[in-house]
Amino acid sequence: NAGVTQTPKFQVLKTGQSMTLQCAQDMNHNSMYWYRQDPGMGLRLIYYSASEGTTDKGEVPNGYNVSRLNKREFSLRLESAAPSQTSVYFCASRLTASSYNSPLHFGNGTRLTVT
Amino acid sequence: GENVEQHPSTLSVQEGDSAVIKCTYSDSASNYFPWYKQELGKGPQLIIDIRSNVGEKKDQRIAVTLNKTAKHFSLHITETQPEDSAVYFCAAPYAGGTSYGKLTFGQGTILTVHP
């Protein structure tokens, strides 16, 4: 039972380069989320997808785009990476967006460094 | 949006002692308060949560209390063990209400339990 799988685990980019972070879940969850984690700031929501076919902005969406490829997969794209995007990125999923009895499951993160 | 403040940022205790972490929130409409534990190199994992219609919830050595009037909630860990050492995050719904996957996180508390 893999849960939420993120690839890659580590990545180093130069300023201006682009890349896509991949996320897949095998729990048949409807809702998926992208968070970033920075020291002393907790986790902040970038984008989310309440259900297949829908996406919406979170707290810090600037510089990112997302694609809900299908029910299992939700990718995060950096079109032109900036040093301020150096962070640890976490993908998460839950069964539904509004059900209380549905814990948020996190992947193990992608550590991204932009030089 | 919601604002969540968490204290202390670090907490060091002896094995067997109790540990308490406190969070305050700003949006009186928030009604769901989860706590996450994050071990090194892993994603956060839900350990306990509480809804605003109860004042306390316990699960073995872990308890969460909620004071809606004062808008704060706390995590209590009794009989601490070295394996409780981790980073703990509190959270509340990002825009208040019932968006349980869209969360605003506290800044995190590094708990160290000394044998």
Side-chain angles (χ1 to χ4, degrees):
Chain A
N1 188 1
V4 179
T5 302
Q6 293 184 236
T7 56
K9 288 183 170 51
F10 301 94
Q11 183 71 48
V12 179
L13 291 178
K14 294 188 188 306
T15 298
Q17 288 184 318
S18 63
M19 79 161 295
T20 300
L21 282 66
Q22 307 287 353
C23 174
Q25 51 89 12
D26 63 1
M27 297 173 283
N28 201 33
H29 284 175
N30 292 294
S31 303
M32 298 186 73
Y33 307 80
W34 277 104
Y35 284 87
R36 60 177 287 175
Q37 183 176 27
D38 302 293
M41 300 187 72
L43 290 88
R44 291 179 292 168
L45 181 64
I46 305 171
Y47 269 95
Y48 67 99
S49 171
S51 60
E52 186 179 358
T54 69
T55 61
D56 209 343
K57 297 177 181 179
E59 184 183 358
V60 288
N62 291 346
Y64 305 95
N65 284 299
V66 291
S67 295
R68 183 75 183 266
L69 304 170
N70 48 55
K71 190 172 184 178
R72 290 186 64 247
E73 298 173 286
F74 188 39
S75 63
L76 179 71
R77 182 159 179 85
L78 287 70
E79 290 291 352
S80 178
S84 61
Q85 294 178 304
T86 293
S87 188
V88 182
Y89 291 86
F90 287 99
C91 177
S93 70
R94 73 196 307 268
L95 183 60
T96 65
S98 58
S99 171
Y100 162 65
N101 291 319
S102 176
L104 197 60
H105 293 263
F106 284 87
N108 286 331
T110 294
R111 185 174 295 275
L112 175 67
T113 301
V114 183
T115 61
Chain B
E2 178 67 276
N3 184 44
V4 177
E5 296 287 333
Q6 182 173 346
H7 299 280
S9 56
T10 60
L11 181 58
S12 183
V13 300
Q14 291 296 125
E15 183 176 0
D17 287 350
S18 295
V20 181
I21 303 170
K22 298 181 179 180
C23 289
T24 61
Y25 62 98
S26 61
D27 192 336
S28 57
S30 290
N31 63 358
Y32 171 67
F33 305 95
W35 284 90
Y36 288 84
K37 176 183 181 182
Q38 185 178 26
E39 297 176 339
L40 197 61
K42 299 284 185 67
Q45 182 175 16
L46 179 72
I47 54 172
I48 195 168
D49 56 19
I50 191 169
R51 294 188 75 181
S52 58
N53 57 350
V54 296
E56 182 175 4
K57 183 177 178 181
K58 289 187 72 173
D59 183 2
Q60 299 182 2
R61 296 186 296 109
I62 293 173
V64 56
T65 58
L66 171 65
N67 184 326
K68 285 178 59 179
T69 303
K71 290 192 281 189
H72 66 72
F73 56 111
S74 299
L75 177 71
H76 304 254
I77 306 174
T78 59
E79 301 172 24
T80 54
Q81 301 167 2
E83 51 265 39
D84 294 330
S85 296
V87 183
Y88 290 82
F89 291 96
C90 62
Y94 168 54
T98 58
S99 296
Y100 300 126
K102 295 163 55 182
L103 299 173
T104 294
F105 284 81
Q107 295 85 351
T109 296
I110 302 172
L111 174 63
T112 304
V113 181
H114 299 281

